[in-house]
């Protein structure tokens, strides 16, 4: 056994403690295994040599073979540089370094044949390559087939001379140490069925491809591995959970649920809501612990489904809590629930970061005694000081904003595992859902409450503002309310707030007889709330805001959403914002205001928004346009799914196959005890021992 995951990379020739520390800090590479699975991000064809005579400024990266004639240090201060005259027999050019002079001079000698690689530039009438890669001829022969791997490195790494080339050398040393002796991690039958090459061959060729064909095969093999073991882990953990943990049995439907349903429900549930409530009831009444993801587009009525589920918990003598990602949203849920439950004997409380000490001091003991039955809140709910008497159901709203670890803290608040309902309005493409929530049962609300008119979405360039203001005037006059949203991009906050504030002043001038209010993330929670309150009560007609209102805010009378600089928002964010209107019976509008200058991709985004209201279509389009890594929500949550090689936007079919096979394997051999499956069990242990806890809760 090589035990790659137990060997510290520090002991690899060429690393040592100092570099080891940097690799760990910058790339999270600690073991041989970590290093081996640090894949190149691209490959460069270096089979062709160019000559100095044919050099041309427009060339991309090229390589030359020749010798250094002289070294000269030129210039002063920032322009100080080391210049080596390089000749390949057809002419001379310069190699230039602006830093690391000593290192270069120690390493490179005149009169030795090197292979030089870099991007040519013209300075005056002379060609040069700045900070070239320089290798001995023998060194570069490590690479047959001419495909050279390139590894991402960070600024700090570059400063300490751990560049792509150094990583390449480390990979070479590591593969040399392994000598193709790593044990196979997939059963023969699976490899044959999918048509996969052997693991050692794949590893060799992902770092040092012998041909483009073998590179493709290596990629297929490693993508499959990645997806397959993720699915296997998820499905196996879900099975295990069912075996091991008894769920809290909600055996009865009692007075809370029935009274509410019969006398308080202000409208008929939609068919989809009824179906989902039934799925949840069945789950919670099964004796198994529920882990359910509820997907439903914005405005589809998830809150009510959540409330009905909580009443079931109450009927069975348990408490319930609902966790929201922002204070605005938690407040709003709180108000909504109080409204819904008016006249019923249910004690609901709110706990957020801005609840005062004194209030907390009253609230926490009441919660611990079980007097508070429903607790609504933000992250504050997961603090250690928050204890329940008997927590039976946890609802997490807009789940993509919650990290797995945060959820796991909630989880530990009870001896028996509470039921978990995760609600998300961000439609998640199938491949992503399979990867992130593969072990959750999924319910979908695919129907909006009746009487809603589809929102009309328009795209307008900035030069038609006068028209826009006329439109706003008209809508306000007939009693509607308007949102105006400004972008807020990280790192650019100052400017963005200026935009918002300038907009605020402009609107106050433009609409003197109406009330304009403003919210943004920099306000104190109390002020934010007060402004929101002015808008939701109808006192203010126009609300100017940053994206703080993106999630979940509900003002049914607001029927116009104006998005300024719409080109600066992502698709799913635009869709979330649009979802703030169209909540009442009136015709609603979403107006995307943008400048003329749009990239092709941005234009496409806006076109999609105009073309469809369907969140799932938008999510799929988003995934295609931007790729998985950028998908909103996944990036924010730091969701522990860190795919190194597979791509959810393009590898959907492979993912499905991996999932099917994983599920077949587990159906035959749930504990992976069969000799031919023992390698799978071992691999799971290697990959997921550290993460086993989150596997249980996500
Ligand atoms: P979301 O799924 O985005 O969280 P909400 O739960 O906020 O949606 O519901 C949006 C609006 O629709 C709320 O005003 C809610 O009261 C209303 N609503 C929910 N269900 C129904 C229904 N069956 N019929 C009519 N209105 C409904
Ligand atoms: Mg909601």
């Amino acid at each position: 056994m090589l035990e790659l995951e137990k060997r510290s990379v520090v002991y690899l020739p060429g690393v040592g403690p100092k570099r080891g520390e940097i690799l760990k800090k910058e790339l999270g590479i600690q073991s041989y295994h970590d290093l081996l699975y640090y894949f190149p991000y691209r490959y460069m064809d270096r089979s062709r040599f160019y000559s100095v005579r044919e050099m041309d400024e427009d060339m991309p990266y090229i390589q030359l073979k020749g010798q250094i004639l002289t070294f000269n240090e030129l210039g002063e201060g920032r322009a100080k540089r080391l210049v080596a005259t390089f000749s390949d027999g057809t002419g001379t050019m310069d190699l230039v370094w602006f830093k690391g002079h000593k290192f270069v001079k120690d390493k490179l000698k005149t009169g030795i044949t090197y292979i030089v690689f870099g991007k040519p530039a013209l300075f005056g009438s002379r060609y040069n390559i700045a900070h070239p890669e320089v290798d001995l001829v023998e060194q570069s022969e490590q690479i047959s087939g001419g495909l050279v791997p390139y590894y991402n490195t960070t600024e700090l790494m570059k400063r300490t001379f751990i560049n792509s080339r150094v990583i390449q050398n480390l990979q070479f040393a590591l593969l040399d140490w392994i000598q193709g002796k790593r044990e196979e991690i997939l059963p023969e039958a699976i490899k044959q069925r999918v048509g996969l090459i052997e693991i050692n061959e794949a590893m060799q060729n992902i770092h040092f491809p012998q041909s483009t064909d073998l590179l493709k095969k290596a990629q297929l093999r490693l993508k499959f591995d990645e997806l397959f073991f993720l699915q296997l882990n998820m499905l196996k953990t879900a099975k295990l959970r069912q075996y091991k943990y008894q769920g809290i049995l909600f055996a009865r439907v009692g007075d809370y649920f029935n009274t509410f349903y019969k006398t308080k429900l202000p409208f008929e549930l939609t068919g989809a809501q009824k179906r989902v409530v039934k799925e949840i009831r069945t789950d919670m009444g099964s004796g198994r612990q529920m882990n359910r993801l509820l997907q439903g587009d914005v405005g589809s009525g998830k809150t009510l489904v959540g409330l009905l589920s909580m009443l079931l918990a109450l009927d069975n003598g348990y408490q319930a809590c609902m966790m929201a990602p922002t204070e605005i949203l938690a407040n709003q849920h709180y108000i909504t629930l109080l409204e819904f439950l008016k006249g019923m004997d249910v004690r609901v409380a709110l706990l957020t970061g801005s609840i005062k000490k004194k209030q907390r001091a009253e609230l926490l003991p009441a919660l611990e005694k079980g007097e508070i039955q429903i607790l609504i809140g933000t992250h504050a709910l997961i603090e250690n000081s928050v204890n329940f008497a008997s927590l039976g159901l946890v609802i997490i709203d807009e789940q993509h904003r919650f990290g797995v670890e945060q959820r796991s803290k909630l989880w530990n608040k009870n001896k028996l595992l509470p039921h978990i309902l995760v609600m998300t309005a961000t439609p998640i493409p199938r491949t992503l859902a399979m990867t992130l929530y593969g072990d959750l049962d999924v319910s979908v609300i695919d129907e909006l409450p009746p009487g809603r008119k589809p929102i009309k979405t328009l795209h307008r360039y900035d030069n038609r503002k006068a028209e826009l203001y006329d439109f706003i005037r008209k809508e306000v006059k007939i009693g509607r309310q308007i949102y105006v949203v400004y972008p807020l991009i990280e790192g650019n906050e100052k400017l963005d707030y200026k935009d918002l504030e300038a907009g605020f002043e402009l609107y106050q001038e433009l609409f003197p007889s109406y009330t304009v209010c403003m919210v943004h993330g920099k306000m104190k929670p109390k002020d934010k709330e007060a402004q929101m309150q002015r808008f939701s009560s109808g006192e203010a007609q126009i609300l100017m805001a940053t994206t703080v209102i993106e999630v979940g805010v509900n003002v049914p009378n607001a029927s116009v959403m104006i998005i300024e600089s719409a080109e600066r928002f992502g698709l799913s964010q635009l869709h979330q914002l649009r979802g703030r209107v169209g909540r009442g019976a009136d015709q609603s509008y979403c107006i995307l205001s943008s400048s003329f200058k749009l990239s092709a991709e941005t234009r496409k985004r806006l076109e999609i928004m105009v073309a469809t209201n369907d969140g799932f279509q938008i999510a799929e389009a988003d995934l295609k346009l931007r790729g998985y890594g950028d998908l909103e929500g996944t990036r924010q949550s730091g969701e522990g799914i860190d795919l190194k090689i597979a791509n959810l936007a393009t590898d959907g079919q492979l993912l499905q196959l991996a999932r099917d096979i994983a599920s077949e394997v587990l159906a035959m051999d749930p504990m992976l005890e069969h000799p031919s499956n023992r390698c799978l069990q071992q691999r799971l242990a290697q990959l997921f021992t550290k993460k086993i806890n989150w596997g249980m809760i996500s």
Side-chain angles (χ1 to χ4, degrees), residues 41 133 149-153 162-169:
Y41 70 96
E133 281 180 28
Y150 279 78
Y151 299 89
N152 268 320
T153 54
I162 309 182
N163 53 20
S164 171
R165 166 45 61 93
V166 170
I167 308 257
Q168 183 188 331
N169 289 336

Side-chain angles (χ1 to χ4, degrees), residues 360-426:
R360 275 180 71 103
E362 285 166 21
L363 189 153
L364 293 178
L367 187 67
E368 208 157 345
K369 277 187 241 151
E371 290 161 13
I372 291 172
Q373 295 157 291
I374 294 179
L375 183 65
I376 312 289
T378 53
H379 296 74
L381 293 194
I382 60 181
E383 285 164 19
N384 287 331
S385 57
V386 180
N387 293 304
F388 294 82
S390 56
L391 180 61
L393 170 66
V394 175
I395 297 181
I396 300 172
D397 194 19
E398 309 297 350
Q399 96 88 30
H400 62 290
R401 305 250 164 147
F402 272 116
V404 165
E405 276 182 26
Q406 292 169 320
R407 271 187 272 151
S408 77
K409 280 197 185 164
L410 246 182
W411 190 270
N412 292 329
K413 290 202 175 292
N414 222 42
K415 279 181 241 63
L416 273 179
L417 304 182
H419 297 295
I420 303 275
L421 182 65
V422 170
M423 307 200 297
T424 174
T426 309

Side-chain angles (χ1 to χ4, degrees), residues 302-303 329 333 397-398 423 425 552 583:
K302 294 184 293 295
T303 316
L329 193 52
H333 277 325
D397 194 19
E398 309 297 350
M423 307 200 297
R583 299 185 152 238

